[in-house]
Amino acid sequence: MRISLCGAAGEVTGSGYLVETRTARVLVDLGMFQGQGATFEKNRDLGPVQPERLDAVVLTHAHLDHCGRLPLLARGKFRTAIHATPATVDFAELVLKDSAFLQQQDAERLTRRRQRQGRPPAEALYGPEEVDRLLPRFQALPYGETRTIADGVSARLVDSGHILGSASVELTVKEGASKRTVVFSGDLGPNGMPFLRDPQPLAHADLVFLESTYGDRDHRPLDATLDEFLAILQDAAGAREKVLIPSFAIGRTQLILYFIAQFVREGKLPVFPVVVDSPMAIEATRLYRRHQDLFDEEAKALGRRGGWEKDLPRLEMSETAEESKRLNNLRDAAVILAGSGMCDGGRIVHHLKHNLWRRNVHVVIVGYQSQGTLGARLVHGAKEVTIHGEEVVVHADIHTLGGFSAHAGRSELIDWFGHLAKDRPRAVLTHGEDGPRAALAEALRERFGVTVETPGPGAVVTLD
Ligand SMILES: [Zn+2]
């Protein structure tokens, strides 16, 4: 069989694998390349993927960098099923509808600029029509069930502990007399995160595609991060200050709510207002409730006692733009969670514009900020930033907390691979920058004596 890499080779976005056997073509993920300019333009090229010739699609999880190009399949004659866990089916709908809206909005803005320059209009990558055509193709495949998805190919999904519903994929491929197992790790989570079960190891593989985002380092211990977070919230509560938290809608927002509730429950923090100012995060939080069967034991037990909401009696969901604007006048201790997670769009930008210049405000960065974003400038200590073309001085306290990652650290990646190592599978490292990837490759070779490859974009891996 041949497996073509459609992205995330030496970078962390654009995940996608086309598996071709003598009798079938199966796609695993088709994520968006996230970035500006040339990086974004790569999304328009499907490479070796011919939508009308696909027999099946498997989706590991609902993050945009894994599902964001799927709507492009729905342009032509695309009748293929997309297999994903029930939670991923729900989250993917939320993510792709939001993405289509943003794609259209971006294209309209660009078109207006181009028109002023006498140039032709910009074309959106896709819009709501493609997403509407795509959504009926999703077929829920619960964890642990084996399903034949194409001639000679069966798939099984295993919890990867990264976001609710996320999965590693085990493909069993029969060609003539040979039978091969190919495992795609998907994004692997760290151990011990609230709500999520730890990543489940697999027992056997001939070939493993392993993510390598943090292949060169372990995260700061969660306990140290939580102590820091608590201290910030205690200060804010005492001095009646506002705390702004830029946060991704799915996963990170719920995690932060969980921890604040825990502080209140343990009596470390007085009850004070928490506002989720993001329609997408509000919907994602509803979906978390719908899929609580996937929670780890701790979160299930908490659910039986009334859930974390019980400890946040002043939790507000701010759905409309008016509700969001009203928060500008809030002059009391409050946590405001809003997107986008990297401060490069969404309601958090408005909150930052109205508050960065104040002295009695905290901004808590809880996620990765990629270069060039407003979030990255704040993390690097900018004294002044430009927001919507306006200079804003930074007087607010900016805190960066490093321990909330949704990705496994280096030791956890090595441990996960260790469960497969007895059969000495070939390893192919993807979804990582070159530095972390090379570091993990060396560790796996040394520790397990396996062959490890670090292919570039467009590479084809073959397996007899
Ligand atoms: Zn992910």
Side-chain angles (χ1 to χ4, degrees):
M1 79 184 93
R2 295 158 45 90
I3 301 167
S4 307
L5 272 63
C6 308
E11 58 188 332
V12 294
T13 66
S15 276
Y17 306 89
L18 177 64
V19 182
E20 294 173 281
T21 73
R22 260 175 265 156
T23 51
R25 284 186 194 78
V26 174
L27 184 66
V28 177
D29 288 352
L30 194 59
M32 189 175 279
F33 292 101
Q34 289 175 288
Q36 309 285 317
T39 305
F40 186 80
E41 288 308 307
K42 286 198 281 184
N43 287 313
R44 296 184 193 274
D45 180 9
L46 281 178
V49 180
Q50 295 170 281
E52 63 289 351
R53 298 186 66 199
L54 288 174
D55 298 299
V57 180
V58 184
L59 177 61
T60 60
H61 67 290
H63 275 154
L64 200 61
D65 61 323
H66 290 257
C67 70
R69 277 188 290 165
L70 287 176
L72 295 174
L73 301 179
R75 289 240 162 105
K77 279 188 254 144
F78 177 70
R79 300 265 177 272
T80 308
I82 305 168
H83 306 274
T85 65
T88 295
V89 174
D90 281 348
F91 285 123
E93 175 174 352
L94 184 64
V95 167
L96 292 174
K97 282 183 170 168
D98 181 66
S99 173
F101 173 74
L102 293 176
Q103 302 307 323
Q104 257 187 346
Q105 211 178 33
D106 283 354
E108 281 163 18
R109 192 181 313 124
L110 201 58
T111 294
R112 283 196 294 275
R113 191 189 305 163
R114 285 182 175 209
Q115 279 171 335
R116 289 193 287 270
Q117 299 163 339
R119 293 163 63 201
E123 197 194 331
L125 185 60
Y126 52 79
E129 315 76 57
E130 283 95 335
V131 174
D132 287 344
R133 271 207 296 275
L134 185 79
L135 292 176
R137 316 285 1 133
F138 276 95
Q139 274 184 24
L141 175 59
Y143 288 127
E145 263 178 40
T146 302
R147 178 182 292 166
T148 301
I149 57 169
D151 191 3
V153 183
S154 62
R156 190 169 70 99
L157 302 175
V158 173
D159 200 338
S160 76
H162 168 65
I163 59 171
L164 214 59
S166 67
S168 302
V169 178
E170 179 190 74
L171 285 189
T172 306
V173 179
K174 287 187 200 134
E175 281 188 286
S178 99
K179 182 177 154 189
R180 297 282 181 214
T181 306
V182 184
V183 166
F184 300 86
S185 71
D187 286 1
L188 294 171
N191 293 330
M193 273 293 165
F195 297 118
L196 303 173
R197 296 182 292 219
D198 292 347
Q200 298 298 299
L202 288 103
H204 167 76
D206 297 295
L207 176 62
V208 181
F209 288 86
L210 173 60
E211 70 121 317
S212 55
T213 317
Y214 289 99
D216 59 345
R217 63 203 133 120
D218 283 320
H219 301 299
R220 277 194 82 198
L222 182 60
D223 284 350
T225 298
L226 286 178
D227 288 346
E228 243 179 289
F229 187 36
L230 175 62
I232 298 164
L233 295 177
Q234 284 170 334
D235 280 356
R240 305 181 65 170
E241 292 168 334
K242 222 190 251 188
V243 181
L244 301 177
I245 309 183
S247 185
F248 296 101
I250 301 177
R252 196 57 48 93
T253 296
Q254 294 76 27
L255 190 70
I256 297 297
L257 290 174
Y258 184 99
F259 286 132
I260 299 175
Q262 184 177 314
F263 294 151
V264 172
R265 188 165 55 252
E266 291 169 352
K268 294 172 179 167
L269 203 65
V271 170
F272 69 96
V274 178
V275 186
V276 178
D277 187 25
S278 155
M280 192 174 167
I282 294 168
E283 183 55 30
T285 307
R286 277 189 206 118
L287 291 178
Y288 258 66
R289 277 183 216 121
R290 185 189 296 175
H291 293 286
Q292 32 189 305
D293 55 309
L294 301 180
F295 286 1
D296 63 3
E297 284 313 314
E298 211 180 331
K300 274 186 187 159
L302 187 61
R304 286 191 288 273
R305 296 197 303 271
W308 49 267
E309 293 98 328
K310 197 165 73 81
D311 302 302
L312 296 177
R314 296 186 65 193
L315 176 66
E316 261 179 62
M317 299 293 183
S318 151
E319 212 133 359
T320 66
E322 285 66 42
E323 286 171 310
S324 176
K325 276 187 198 131
R326 225 178 298 145
L327 297 172
N328 289 336
N329 305 322
L330 200 69
R331 294 283 172 272
D332 203 353
V335 171
I336 299 175
L337 287 146
S340 78
M342 296 199 227
C343 315
D344 53 347
R347 291 181 178 178
I348 194 68
V349 179
H350 296 273
H351 292 301
L352 292 171
K353 186 171 158 187
H354 288 286
N355 289 287
L356 279 177
W357 59 276
R358 297 178 193 275
R359 289 188 193 278
N360 52 351
V361 167
H362 300 266
V363 178
V364 185
I365 306 283
V366 294
Y368 181 77
Q369 307 296 310
S370 89
Q371 288 306 320
T373 57
L374 175 57
R377 290 202 291 284
L378 293 175
V379 167
H380 293 137
K383 295 275 173 272
E384 201 174 76
V385 290
T386 309
I387 301 178
H388 298 148
E390 236 180 81
E391 304 284 305
V392 181
V393 289
V394 181
H395 287 151
D397 280 327
I398 313 291
H399 312 267
T400 307
L401 302 184
F404 292 129
S405 179
H407 280 273
R410 172 184 166 89
S411 313
E412 290 158 330
L413 291 171
I414 294 171
D415 285 351
W416 183 88
F417 185 83
H419 291 275
L420 290 160
K422 62 176 188 326
D423 300 326
R424 309 269 301 256
R426 254 165 82 195
V428 179
L429 303 188
T430 55
H431 200 290
E433 310 276 350
D434 282 334
R437 209 157 65 127
L440 183 63
E442 202 180 302
L444 296 183
R445 279 185 203 114
E446 225 168 73
R447 180 83 65 95
F448 305 113
V450 292
T451 308
V452 187
E453 294 153 55
T454 56
V460 178
V461 176
T462 54
L463 180 68
D464 294 330

